Amino acid sequence: MEAKVSIRNVTKVFGKSPKAAVQLLKKGYSKKDILKETGSTVGVNNASFDIYPGEIFVVMGLSGSGKSTLIRMINRLIDPSSGEILIDNEDIVKMPTSQLREVRRKTISMVFQNFALFPHKTVLENTEYGLEIQNVSPSERKDKAMRSLEIVGLKGYENQMPSQLSGGMQQRVGLARALASDTDILLMDEAFSALDPLIRKDMQDELLEIQDSMKKTIIFITHDLDEALRIGDRIALMKDGSIIQIGTPEEIMMNPANEYVERFVEDVDISRVLTASHVMKRAEKISPDRGPRVALQIMKDQGYSSIFIVDRKQRLLGAVTADDASMAIKENKTIEEVMNKDVLTASEDTLLSDLLEPMANTNIPLAVIDEEKRLKGVIIRGAVIGALAGNRDGLNGKEDDE
Amino acid sequence: MNFPKIPLAQWVDHLVDWITNTFDPVFNAITGFIEGLLGNLVTLLGIGPSILLILIITLFALYTSRWGVAIFTLVGLLLIDNLGYWDATVDTIALVLSSVVLTIVIGIPFGIWASQNDTAKRIITPILDFMQTMPAFVYLIPSILFFGIGVVPGILASVIFAVPPTIRLTNLGIREVPKDLIEATEAFGSTTGQKLFKVQLPLAAPTILAGVNQSIMLALSMVVIASLVGAPGLGAEVYRAVTQIKVGEGFEAGISIVIIAIILDRISQNLRKPLFGNIINKKIVYSVLAGLLIVAYAAVAISQAKPDKTSSKNVGDQVNYEITGIDPGAGLMKSTEKAMKDYGLKKDWTLKEGSAAAMTAELKKAYEKKEPIIVTGWTPHWMFSKYDLKYLKDPKGSYGKGESIHTLTKKGFKQENPGANKILDQFFWKPSDMEEVMVDVQDGAQPEKAAAKWVKSHKQEVGKWTKGAQKGNGKEVKLVYVAWESEIASTNVVAKVLEQQGYKVKLQQVEAGPMFAGVADGSADAMVAAWLPTTHKDYYDKYKGKFEDLGPNLKGTKLGLTVPKYMPIDSIEDLKK
């Protein structure tokens, strides 16, 4: 797939002698040494990556890691010291002002951490600002603004002033303003960081929903790994201006590139990252026509207390415990007559956190099935507990070439 | 190290001369424009009975501000009217409004420029510091040369003095707009103009208006100073009261200024959010006011348009029927008023008030261009040595005969300090002697140095003054004088002589009224600057008996209307033609 945005060797140095600092960076000096040597601060150091159409690309890092600087270079609110930034294959760094203005109007819009709403304009006027400065006719821009206010669920608030709204609603206005311009790319600079945790979750869900229907390219900045893992298709992790690792949430979690990333991901609520597929084991299963004696024999051999029953197409039918099988032998019943058909199931991408409750309510392992009810594996309590305890050795690594 | 003095003053003089000559048509155009504007404004404000304007202002105060302010406005303005300062108040309001309009027109664009451009800010900031700390009087000097005396240099000096807060706060207000809002406007692709007009200026408006409010207050505080160069209004009333030590009148004019200041301050503070803005939309009120103003103004301007008279050869037309005068309190001005009455000039002619310095500046300007001008003149004065001037004949004797300059001491000075008293008593010289010192001073010498030079080269005369007087041995003598060139010269010469005789001399420069008051109440020992019997007659009579008159130290002074020799008139009677 062709990249929507390409960042190529982009460096930003703040201070009086950026050129000297860029030279030192090339020689491999660290951010600290350069500050000491030249008094210049390295904002972003030689960042290179591609962002593909329709993906949510999250840039994550602690305060001061250069992520805000990076995102602002994409629409050139900050000029890079060196490097190229290609948007639809055009280098924005070399653009003259008028062309840059067009790109900002038509291609990239932005949502800000502290909302950056104009306090002297109503919600509607704020929303249509991007269109207003393009001299779009009042009726047309009102239509578009009303539509994007509807998308973010703020219909009816258009004549309020921003100060009359809650934080969450203000950020919806910010989002609506960005959506009204109908740009391909959406830059979101810690857009939800100023909101309280509950509203933040709602907004994340809403963003995912909007993204589902609008298919924009979203570049999202956050310092919150949970948020990154929740919404990011891919994540870039930054430290001291450099990009340390880029990958899917699973890759970052499971194969931290270095100790720093490992420490960074350590505190994450792992149950919200790992899915059933990470902890499931191969399932012991038999077809119901084998009879209870065979089932009991397999259980004895393998040391299990239960076994899953599948049809010939591997579709899950139910499960029998050792007790069920013994009873069937005594009463001369078939497996189908004694098996428990209401087996609790999960899909492969169910989060661990959502597995905990069903696990507690059943004495047989949880069955993992796909959309066609085919049994893919089982989850036993020990594996879940091990994973939550941080024991990654027991996890099923996802193949990189999926 | 003996560095020669850097001739900064000469450089500035040359620069100002060059500007005056080069841009004279521009300055004349500006003067004409502002005078016309202001004249129409004054006519407009004074169009109906005073109570009409008072009611309009009161209603406006009520609309914008609290009840209290409205009541204060009504009572205050009625008081001013009752005291008889209404016309002066209208002049003052017109002057302040004109200054404020210019301040806004100049200040806000500069403030915007400073906010958009760091280099501009770095250049403008020290200039603003300079403008605000330079004593406002200093602006009057070049202003007179550029724009003549009258209200225009007053307005321009006010603008220079009042514009810095508007520039500063415009810059500050725009720069204080939160950074993320600026980023937002840029991120959506605003042009610089869109950013400015849609976001920065609306958000900076409260700060900018606070700056304008400060500028209004500063412009108002300039009205007294502007009256030194002839701006009419309450300031001139205050100035006149000061020069004549009229406590009561000074207070009346002063309190009028205070009332105007409070009203302007409160109304301008509340313009943005009027108290009754919810009941009647402020846009409507302001539009109606502005519309009325423009219509009335246009009507006034059309009705005031005068027929062109440049073709006329009449002297009066050539000088615009104006006589350029000096300080409003001076006796010379009174005599001139009398002369204008005697010769029937009262109706057509106006006597412009200002100061001695402003008058000589006007004269210099006209003289260099060989333009006609009529000033109130007196001898001894350096201008007679420097330019070819003549007195207009005074067949009716309005200016009286020549005057003498008297030496006055406080009561009991003779007993207290007989030596100094004797020197002062014997001090006597001729107008030509005095002019010698005055020309030196005018050419840039320090008064003390010019006096010392004269004393050195006139040993014989000085000997006559000091004959028989005992030495001072460090005894102190306090002399007061008024800052006229003639008195600066004589007082410095006397001081030099007293110092040579061992006295410690303290000089104090004051206005004419305080000079007499000082000698009369004994806070000063003596003065050599009493022009009698005409110029200082009022003061002399007022304090009579409270000082000793040692008689004249100079005879043969003269007062009268003075014109350059190139003018084809000889007598005051010629002005009637």
Side-chain angles (χ1 to χ4, degrees):
Chain A
M1 203 184 327
E2 197 167 338
K4 184 82 184 165
V5 179
S6 280
I7 314 271
R8 300 244 187 283
N9 308 92
V10 167
T11 297
K12 175 66 190 178
V13 176
F14 296 101
K16 283 189 177 160
S17 48
K19 277 196 182 140
V22 169
Q23 290 307 315
L24 291 179
L25 270 179
K26 280 187 183 154
K27 284 185 201 158
Y29 279 63
S30 76
K31 185 176 173 173
K32 240 185 221 165
D33 290 340
I34 289 174
L35 180 64
K36 218 194 239 166
E37 199 91 355
T38 64
S40 301
T41 312
V42 177
V44 171
N45 176 11
N46 201 24
S48 291
F49 55 87
D50 287 337
I51 299 164
Y52 298 103
E55 76 171 336
I56 301 184
F57 188 88
V58 177
V59 181
M60 190 181 62
L62 299 174
S63 299
S65 58
K67 52 194 192 306
S68 282
T69 307
L70 182 65
I71 203 178
R72 278 169 173 68
M73 286 195 286
I74 295 175
N75 63 354
R76 253 183 76 191
L77 288 179
I78 295 176
D79 277 317
S81 303
S82 68
E84 298 180 321
I85 296 170
L86 305 176
I87 292 169
D88 294 329
N89 288 321
E90 274 205 84
D91 188 357
I92 196 166
V93 180
K94 294 201 182 81
M95 271 183 198
T97 318
S98 56
Q99 202 185 343
L100 173 66
R101 199 178 297 138
E102 273 316 291
V103 169
R104 286 173 174 177
R105 287 177 173 186
K106 303 269 164 62
T107 316
I108 305 182
S109 49
M110 190 161 177
V111 182
F112 295 84
Q113 178 173 12
N114 293 314
F115 323 139
L117 299 181
F118 306 122
H120 61 295
K121 290 177 182 285
T122 63
V123 166
L124 181 65
E125 285 165 346
N126 264 288
T127 310
E128 58 185 22
Y129 181 80
L131 301 167
E132 184 189 341
I133 59 174
Q134 296 179 40
N135 299 322
V136 173
S137 76
S139 61
E140 188 187 341
R141 71 187 190 224
K142 191 180 172 188
D143 280 355
K144 286 188 174 172
M146 287 306 291
R147 216 175 310 143
S148 57
L149 280 174
E150 211 175 326
I151 291 172
V152 301
L154 279 183
K155 206 179 166 193
Y157 289 91
E158 57 270 13
N159 294 322
Q160 304 269 46
M161 298 308 277
S163 58
Q164 294 170 293
L165 305 182
S166 69
M169 291 159 98
Q170 290 189 34
Q171 192 54 297
R172 282 163 206 261
V173 179
L175 187 56
R177 179 174 65 181
L179 293 177
S181 300
D182 197 23
T183 56
D184 295 344
I185 303 171
L186 201 55
L187 304 179
M188 303 187 74
D189 178 24
E190 305 220 16
F192 304 145
S193 299
L195 306 175
D196 69 54
L198 277 178
I199 296 174
R200 188 197 284 199
K201 283 252 162 60
D202 288 347
M203 290 295 289
Q204 289 167 356
D205 290 344
E206 213 156 309
L207 181 71
L208 290 173
E209 224 169 89
I210 291 169
Q211 170 66 355
D212 211 39
S213 56
M214 305 195 97
K215 299 283 183 238
K216 301 207 176 274
T217 306
I218 298 178
I219 303 168
F220 194 101
I221 296 262
T222 181
H223 60 252
D224 177 358
L225 185 61
D226 281 340
E227 187 167 71
L229 297 173
R230 237 172 102 83
I231 65 172
D233 293 324
R234 281 193 304 145
I235 298 173
L237 213 132
M238 286 186 81
K239 184 198 175 200
D240 289 347
S242 305
I243 299 216
I244 297 181
Q245 190 174 6
I246 299 182
T248 61
E250 287 86 357
E251 282 163 4
I252 299 259
M253 288 302 300
M254 289 166 51
N255 304 310
N258 61 23
E259 212 181 316
Y260 175 77
V261 183
E262 208 167 287
R263 276 216 330 270
F264 200 98
V265 300
E266 223 162 48
D267 294 334
V268 172
D269 183 353
I270 219 162
S271 68
R272 295 181 180 285
V273 179
L274 296 181
T275 59
S277 65
H278 289 114
V279 292
M280 69 184 183
K281 301 280 179 256
R282 203 178 61 81
E284 283 303 331
K285 54 202 173 184
I286 56 166
S287 157
D289 56 8
R290 290 300 137 114
R293 285 181 184 79
V294 180
L296 193 62
Q297 190 58 44
I298 292 174
M299 282 188 262
K300 269 183 184 160
D301 287 351
Q302 301 291 332
Y304 292 147
S305 60
S306 60
I307 193 163
F308 288 93
I309 313 299
V310 293
D311 67 10
R312 293 208 179 275
K313 285 180 175 163
Q314 299 291 310
R315 280 191 296 243
L316 179 67
L317 298 172
V320 290
T321 60
D323 291 346
D324 292 334
S326 308
M327 193 178 75
I329 294 165
K330 268 185 208 158
E331 297 176 7
N332 208 8
K333 287 180 176 169
T334 64
I335 284 180
E336 276 178 317
E337 282 170 318
V338 296
M339 74 179 175
N340 178 5
K341 285 177 186 160
D342 299 326
V343 180
L344 291 173
T345 60
S347 70
E348 273 183 293
D349 51 5
T350 307
L351 288 173
L352 280 200
S353 59
D354 298 331
L355 293 176
L356 295 176
E357 204 197 328
M359 297 272 323
N361 295 331
T362 175
N363 52 1
I364 55 172
L366 217 56
V368 179
I369 54 171
D370 65 11
E371 298 94 49
E372 280 145 48
K373 280 199 93 182
R374 284 190 300 231
L375 184 64
K376 306 297 280 187
V378 298
I379 299 173
I380 58 171
R381 286 177 195 173
V384 174
I385 292 165
L388 290 182
N391 178 10
R392 296 202 167 102
D393 297 338
L395 299 180
N396 309 319
K398 261 200 167 178
E399 261 59 60
D400 286 345
D401 56 353
E402 59 174 334
Chain B
M1 290 285 275
N2 197 4
F3 254 1
K5 180 181 181 278
I6 298 170
L8 186 59
Q10 280 93 315
W11 291 343
V12 174
D13 285 346
H14 285 146
L15 178 70
V16 169
D17 280 347
W18 179 79
I19 295 175
T20 314
N21 294 328
T22 314
F23 297 104
D24 194 55
V26 182
F27 292 140
N28 283 339
I30 295 175
T31 309
F33 176 72
I34 296 180
E35 263 176 359
L37 213 65
L38 193 79
N40 290 342
L41 195 54
V42 170
T43 318
L44 174 66
L45 292 177
I47 210 163
S50 55
I51 188 72
L52 185 70
L53 187 58
I54 291 177
L55 283 178
I56 291 175
I57 297 177
T58 303
L59 281 178
F60 192 55
L62 178 64
Y63 173 71
T64 56
S65 318
R66 284 165 289 118
W67 280 99
V69 176
I71 292 167
F72 175 86
T73 304
L74 183 64
V75 174
L77 292 179
L78 285 175
L79 175 68
I80 292 176
D81 195 19
N82 173 270
L83 294 176
Y85 287 102
W86 186 251
D87 291 341
T89 300
V90 165
D91 282 339
T92 299
I93 293 177
L95 192 152
V96 171
L97 287 184
S98 313
S99 305
V100 169
V101 168
L102 281 178
T103 299
I104 290 172
V105 168
I106 295 168
I108 291 182
F110 270 98
I112 290 172
W113 188 40
S115 71
Q116 302 296 312
N117 186 327
D118 283 335
T119 315
K121 187 187 154 218
R122 272 196 291 278
I123 296 168
I124 289 174
T125 308
I127 296 177
L128 294 183
D129 295 339
F130 181 90
M131 285 163 75
Q132 276 188 306
T133 44
M134 176 68 91
F137 288 95
V138 177
Y139 302 129
L140 295 177
I141 309 170
S143 284
I144 298 163
L145 292 176
F146 297 159
F147 302 105
I149 67 171
V151 74
V152 176
I155 287 180
L156 292 170
S158 302
V159 169
I160 294 174
F161 186 65
V163 81
T166 297
I167 298 180
R168 277 186 214 279
L169 287 174
T170 302
N171 170 44
L172 181 72
I174 291 176
R175 282 177 186 266
E176 267 182 347
V177 172
K179 189 171 159 269
D180 52 347
L181 293 186
I182 301 296
E183 278 191 329
T185 53
E186 280 174 358
F188 285 100
S190 310
T191 60
T192 310
Q194 288 171 332
K195 183 168 76 175
L196 189 64
F197 287 105
K198 291 184 189 294
V199 177
Q200 288 175 313
L201 284 180
L203 289 174
T207 315
I208 295 175
L209 283 178
V212 171
N213 173 266
Q214 282 194 28
S215 290
I216 293 176
M217 293 296 103
L218 287 180
L220 194 59
S221 73
M222 275 295 287
V223 299
V224 175
I225 292 173
S227 68
L228 293 186
V229 291
L234 293 169
E237 306 287 340
V238 171
Y239 180 41
R240 196 171 303 149
V242 170
T243 55
Q244 302 174 53
I245 332 195
K246 293 190 167 159
V247 184
E249 285 177 17
F251 183 79
E252 282 181 357
I255 201 89
S256 304
I257 292 182
V258 172
I259 291 169
I260 300 296
I262 293 175
I263 294 171
L264 284 179
D265 178 60
R266 298 301 186 274
I267 290 182
S268 61
Q269 268 184 19
N270 293 317
L271 275 186
R272 204 172 66 83
K273 280 190 177 168
L275 181 67
F276 293 110
N278 297 335
I279 298 167
I280 313 171
N281 191 314
K282 67 177 176 185
K283 278 181 190 152
I284 296 173
V285 172
Y286 294 158
S287 312
V288 168
L289 268 184
L292 273 180
L293 199 70
I294 289 166
V295 169
Y297 187 87
V300 167
I302 292 163
S303 68
Q304 291 287 303
K306 284 176 195 159
D308 187 30
K309 54 183 185 188
T310 42
S311 53
S312 169
K313 289 276 190 288
N314 191 323
V315 179
D317 285 337
Q318 284 173 7
V319 298
N320 214 6
Y321 292 94
E322 279 173 352
I323 296 168
T324 304
I326 56 167
D327 333 24
L332 175 58
M333 296 294 275
K334 280 212 182 96
S335 308
T336 306
E337 297 271 0
K338 183 167 173 286
M340 288 168 74
K341 208 154 107 211
D342 293 348
Y343 289 92
L345 302 173
K346 256 276 100 58
K347 213 178 102 217
D348 298 331
W349 289 72
T350 45
L351 175 60
K352 283 206 287 183
E353 293 177 348
S355 61
M359 180 274 287
T360 49
E362 266 296 77
L363 179 65
K364 176 179 190 251
K365 200 177 145 198
Y367 191 86
E368 279 168 2
K369 286 184 292 183
K370 295 278 176 267
E371 280 175 355
I373 184 169
I374 303 172
V375 302
T376 56
W378 67 95
T379 336
H381 192 288
W382 56 263
M383 66 186 184
F384 285 93
S385 316
K386 202 148 180 171
Y387 310 123
D388 279 334
L389 306 174
K390 61 185 175 190
Y391 282 106
L392 292 181
K393 289 203 182 85
D394 177 17
K396 294 194 177 163
S398 305
Y399 284 97
K401 298 196 181 82
E403 286 195 288
S404 318
I405 307 178
H406 285 232
T407 304
L408 308 186
T409 67
K410 68 176 181 186
K411 281 256 176 211
F413 185 62
K414 193 175 178 182
Q415 290 75 32
E416 195 182 295
N417 197 342
N421 191 69
K422 183 143 198 157
I423 293 171
L424 287 169
D425 198 10
Q426 295 180 35
F427 168 53
F428 186 83
W429 61 345
K430 294 195 292 290
S432 59
D433 292 324
M434 191 188 238
E435 276 174 4
E436 225 175 284
V437 182
M438 288 160 77
V439 169
D440 271 355
V441 173
Q442 180 56 26
D443 288 345
Q446 299 281 326
E448 308 93 85
K449 292 214 174 111
K453 186 178 149 206
W454 189 91
V455 169
K456 210 170 164 191
S457 56
H458 294 77
K459 289 220 167 77
Q460 210 189 337
E461 277 160 293
V462 173
K464 278 187 211 157
W465 306 346
T466 55
K467 203 173 155 193
Q470 64 196 67
K471 294 272 178 189
N473 299 326
K475 213 163 184 185
E476 196 182 76
V477 180
K478 258 200 233 168
L479 296 179
V480 281
Y481 65 104
V482 58
W484 300 348
E485 288 87 348
S486 53
E487 311 333 303
I488 291 171
S490 60
T491 309
N492 272 287
V493 165
V494 167
K496 199 82 222 165
V497 172
L498 283 169
E499 271 169 8
Q500 276 185 2
Q501 294 301 307
Y503 291 94
K504 200 177 143 206
V505 183
K506 204 174 151 203
L507 292 183
Q508 265 178 325
Q509 176 194 313
V510 293
E511 289 288 340
M515 176 170 77
F516 274 85
V519 173
D521 69 15
S523 59
D525 291 325
M527 58 137 135
V528 294
W531 286 57
L532 297 169
T534 314
T535 305
H536 289 146
K537 181 175 184 300
D538 286 357
Y539 305 117
Y540 192 86
D541 292 345
K542 184 172 178 185
Y543 296 107
K544 200 160 191 172
K546 292 183 181 163
F547 53 78
E548 301 287 346
D549 187 348
L550 301 184
N553 57 50
L554 182 144
K555 278 182 183 165
T557 73
K558 199 169 174 195
L559 303 174
L561 292 183
T562 309
V563 298
K565 279 207 175 130
Y566 56 73
M567 280 180 69
I569 51 168
D570 291 312
S571 165
I572 301 179
E573 286 181 319
D574 293 343
L575 299 181
K576 269 227 83 174
K577 287 173 194 165

